[in-house]
Amino acid sequence: MFHNWLDRWDEGRAQRGEEAKKITDIILDADRAFPGMGAAKTVEEFCVLAEKSAADPGFFEPPDASDHSFELRDGWLTFPSDVATDVAENNIVWAKVTASGKRDRALVIFHHWNATRRNSQIAGFLSSRGITVIEIAMPYHFERSRPGSLYADYMISANLGRTVQALRQAVWDGRKLIRWLKCQGYQDVSVLGMSLGSWVAGLVAAHEPTVGRASLFLTAGSLAEMVWTGRATRSIRKSLEPRLTLAQLQRAWAPLNLENHADRLARPGLELHVILASRDMVVLPDLSERLLGRLQNAGARVGVLRLNCGHYSLGRPPYILGAGWSLKRFLLQKK
């Protein structure tokens, strides 16, 4: 009875999230995704460029000639993104800093798609336990939102190239922030990602060797399959389906598939923590379990907590309490 109610609650939450989402035309926009690699006039040409980028170890490497103009004021950190987009607001990165009073442990949080507020409860809970929390705004969210937009439609959409660019920008921004934290004296830097943010956090952890711990909430490997099968992205699938197949979308977004980075996530010195919802209809459990299998086969050190709730109800008691305590233990454990 309780879980039937919980499923209905999650479905109601999903329906409210669909109200502003619209079906749009598919756009390749390869120049955005893969600058300098040439144009793509067809889906196949786009997929070829994407597969080359997925095999390029430098694709998620921020440029050396980076602008390091960081400004910290009244608990807010700002700095320029190294990806220039046509939305001026998106080109400045904002992060909320909840300081612990110590400079040994820091956690960078990447929020979920279309987040409307930061995680002040988590930030306060962890900062009181000696972990400085930095809640970074992902592209096209919060202070970086596109003027006039009702949701973060430029972060993930039927524009294949802009989606790749936005995720790449999020990774570059995260790595730039982490390198700044290291320069500020933080020795133990971890990342936490929630839902779409877990893809960003996973990619950051895979490519940034200074990250020692990564906690991924409601995650999976293939972003393409999540979009194709998930409850929250039906409008995107309806936009894409007339012109390409799931197999083509998997190729087009190959750089964003965490399964393709499993070997990097299994690197020495990186500990992984995954929290999943067994009743999740946004990130289907089968997709999550496939990523876990790939990580385990690669030799990754990963702890898993499975909770009998849905994607959205993970944020409600008692599930969020269990997730919070599990996260605290993971972040504070000695290596």
Side-chain angles (χ1 to χ4, degrees):
M1 180 77 71
F2 172 73
H3 287 110
N4 288 338
W5 174 86
L6 199 67
D7 292 342
R8 291 195 299 272
W9 188 90
D10 268 273
E11 174 59 23
R13 173 63 180 78
Q15 289 178 4
R16 290 193 298 275
E18 283 187 332
E19 292 174 357
K21 298 174 185 175
K22 298 179 180 179
I23 298 174
T24 60
D25 292 332
I26 182 174
I27 301 174
L28 298 182
D29 232 350
D31 289 340
R32 276 188 208 276
F34 319 112
M37 294 182 65
K41 296 181 180 180
T42 66
V43 171
E44 176 61 27
E45 290 174 351
F46 187 100
C47 290
V48 170
L49 294 178
E51 289 171 331
K52 288 181 180 178
S53 297
D56 178 6
F59 185 70
F60 289 107
E61 185 68 32
D64 292 332
S66 177
D67 184 347
H68 294 281
S69 302
F70 286 81
E71 182 176 353
L72 179 60
R73 181 181 299 175
D74 297 328
W76 290 94
L77 179 69
T78 58
F79 59 93
S81 176
D82 290 323
V83 175
T85 69
D86 50 4
V87 177
E89 291 81 357
N90 184 52
N91 298 334
I92 299 297
V93 184
W94 286 73
K96 180 72 173 70
V97 179
T98 306
S100 68
K102 301 179 181 179
R103 288 216 172 183
D104 53 349
R105 296 175 183 264
L107 173 70
V108 179
I109 297 181
F110 299 88
H111 54 77
H112 61 84
W113 186 37
N114 297 319
T116 57
R117 62 181 182 273
R118 289 180 167 87
N119 301 282
S120 58
Q121 288 183 320
I122 291 178
F125 176 72
L126 294 175
S127 65
S128 68
R129 286 156 178 82
I131 302 173
T132 291
V133 178
I134 305 93
E135 302 171 84
I136 189 172
M138 292 201 300
Y140 306 107
H141 286 80
F142 297 127
E143 301 82 10
R144 308 175 68 179
S145 296
R146 179 171 63 87
S149 61
L150 298 177
Y151 68 105
D153 55 340
Y154 274 21
M155 180 75 187
I156 179 171
S157 69
N159 185 319
L160 302 182
R162 182 178 276 123
T163 299
V164 173
Q165 182 195 53
L167 269 291
R168 189 189 196 192
Q169 181 179 27
V171 174
W172 280 14
D173 295 342
R175 294 189 67 185
K176 186 172 181 177
L177 171 57
I178 289 166
R179 293 177 181 183
W180 180 82
L181 288 170
K182 297 295 287 188
C183 291
Q184 299 304 302
Y186 291 94
Q187 297 303 310
D188 187 340
V189 179
S190 305
V191 294
L192 164 63
M194 304 172 180
S195 193
L196 182 61
S198 74
W199 268 265
V200 177
L203 290 168
V204 168
H207 292 85
E208 181 51 55
T210 61
V211 172
R213 294 180 176 90
S215 182
L216 310 178
F217 284 30
L218 306 171
T219 194
S222 173
L223 185 70
E225 286 192 66
M226 185 278 283
V227 167
W228 203 263
T229 62
R231 179 65 182 83
T233 48
R234 288 179 177 176
S235 62
I236 299 178
R237 175 174 177 170
K238 289 178 181 178
S239 300
L240 295 170
E241 203 165 16
R243 284 194 51 192
L244 84 173
T245 64
L246 172 57
Q248 289 173 313
L249 186 60
Q250 288 173 311
R251 294 177 62 202
W253 286 348
L256 313 178
N257 188 338
L258 289 183
E259 292 179 37
N260 293 335
H261 304 276
D263 291 338
R264 285 179 171 270
L265 288 167
R267 62 177 170 80
L270 178 63
E271 302 287 341
L272 299 175
H273 171 251
V274 175
I275 294 183
L276 302 176
S278 300
R279 313 178 78 85
D280 199 335
M281 296 303 292
V282 174
V283 181
L284 299 188
D286 286 351
L287 301 183
S288 302
E289 296 298 336
R290 196 174 73 199
L291 172 63
L292 290 176
R294 181 72 182 85
L295 291 172
Q296 290 162 356
N297 289 339
R301 291 163 300 284
V302 52
V304 185
L305 175 64
R306 297 175 179 84
L307 298 171
N308 192 18
C309 61
H311 192 87
Y312 302 108
S313 50
L314 176 64
R316 297 176 61 88
Y319 307 107
I320 191 59
L321 301 178
W325 282 105
S326 178
L327 174 65
K328 187 205 77 164
R329 288 194 300 269
F330 171 68
L331 294 174
L332 293 177
Q333 70 185 357
K334 294 182 178 180
K335 288 194 173 185

